[in-house]
Amino acid sequence: TGNGADIWGPADQFHYAYREFYGDIDLRAKVLSMSGGSNEWRKFGVMIRDQLTPASIHATMAATATQGPAWQGRFTTDADDNGNQNLGDPDWNNNTPYWVRLTRNAATNEFQGYWSYDGINWTLMPGSVEIDSTQVFAMTDPVYIGLAVTAHDAGVLTTATFSDVTVNGKPLFEATWTPNEVVFSPIDSNGWLNYNTAQITLTWEKTQYAPCDTTYDIYMSQDRNLVEDPESGLQPVASD
């Protein structure tokens, strides 16, 4: 359930159920029903956002109240820089349930939107003068994926019911993600390791000329300053 003026313009107003995700994405949802509100551009569907700020870059594949499936997004952060392609098919609006799907190629940041009546046979959204069928959105991992609802009216609530919400073939809030690669910073003598996963295994060997009493400490923190500040009191999670 969500209100809000719209997902459009320089900033978005809507309700978002989301999670972090990395890499390639195939996000799907079945729209069972919609109720509440009166604006013809009420939207409810799947979304990928670069940030959780109102003016973030985003890609959205939505169902609408009367305008058919809508393929939309914002191309530039903090800008009224949006694109839309909707089919305006009244038959679509009167035949719930139906499905929406949003994909991302992480290597190229190319996104595509699809719609379907059965969740099996998918139709790729065409492009328009505002948005390409395969559109680049400049996002950086982690991105935020989930379900979005807006009433297109800040004083009214719209409720959408979804089922069969999956990402990469698994339930949205159960799916795991794996980093494409683990990267050591080449300019960091402190050996910082950047990684994007909930579990990682580290192995290493002492160098040939390292003193016999050399030790290695492993620290874990979301705040790099805590590790580098000797007064922070942060303790290593492992030593060797």
Side-chain angles (χ1 to χ4, degrees):
T1 299
N3 58 8
D6 197 7
I7 303 172
W8 194 255
D12 304 321
Q13 295 181 5
F14 67 108
H15 189 189
Y16 197 31
Y18 67 89
R19 62 166 295 184
E20 283 189 358
F21 213 79
Y22 293 77
D24 295 338
I25 296 170
D26 186 344
L27 180 61
R28 309 182 186 198
K30 184 179 184 180
V31 183
L32 295 176
S33 65
M34 180 277 297
S35 62
S38 60
N39 192 286
E40 63 184 8
W41 272 104
R42 286 164 285 169
K43 302 171 192 171
F44 30 95
V46 289
M47 173 185 281
I48 302 174
R49 295 183 76 82
D50 183 48
Q51 303 171 29
L52 293 176
T53 55
S56 170
I57 294 170
H58 74 87
T60 300
M61 184 61 211
T64 66
T66 67
Q67 300 301 304
W71 166 226
Q72 299 186 340
R74 178 179 295 107
F75 310 119
T76 307
T77 303
D78 295 319
D80 189 356
D81 183 17
N82 305 270
N84 170 69
Q85 168 67 298
N86 66 291
L87 300 186
D89 182 357
D91 185 56
W92 157 274
N93 301 302
N94 295 322
N95 279 280
T96 52
Y98 37 69
W99 297 70
V100 287
R101 177 185 177 191
L102 183 58
T103 65
R104 177 206 190 200
N105 181 325
T108 60
N109 259 330
E110 292 177 320
F111 292 72
Q112 294 178 316
Y114 300 79
W115 65 272
S116 172
Y117 284 123
D118 58 15
I120 299 173
N121 301 291
W122 294 94
T123 299
L124 175 65
M125 287 293 290
S128 70
V129 295
E130 296 181 2
I131 190 170
D132 293 332
S133 180
T134 300
Q135 178 68 52
V136 172
F137 292 93
M139 300 191 193
T140 303
D141 285 336
V143 294
Y144 301 90
I145 68 175
L147 302 172
V149 179
T150 182
H152 208 296
D153 186 337
V156 175
L157 291 177
T158 291
T159 297
T161 303
F162 299 94
S163 71
D164 301 274
V165 184
T166 64
V167 57
N168 299 347
K170 297 182 179 180
L172 174 60
F173 293 102
E174 296 179 13
T176 58
W177 40 263
T178 303
N180 292 329
E181 60 180 342
V182 175
V183 181
F184 281 99
S185 172
I187 60 173
D188 195 333
S189 62
N190 290 328
W192 266 89
L193 177 65
N194 303 312
Y195 65 95
N196 299 324
T197 185
Q199 179 176 336
I200 191 166
T201 301
L202 299 178
T203 61
W204 67 90
E205 295 181 0
K206 295 180 179 180
T207 62
Q208 181 179 358
Y209 300 106
C212 295
D213 59 351
T214 296
T215 61
Y216 298 83
D217 295 327
I218 301 174
Y219 294 84
M220 182 181 298
S221 175
Q222 293 181 324
D223 184 349
R224 178 169 180 161
N225 292 327
L226 289 178
V227 178
E228 297 184 336
D229 179 5
E231 304 299 326
S232 69
L234 186 68
Q235 299 297 310
V237 296
S239 298
D240 180 39

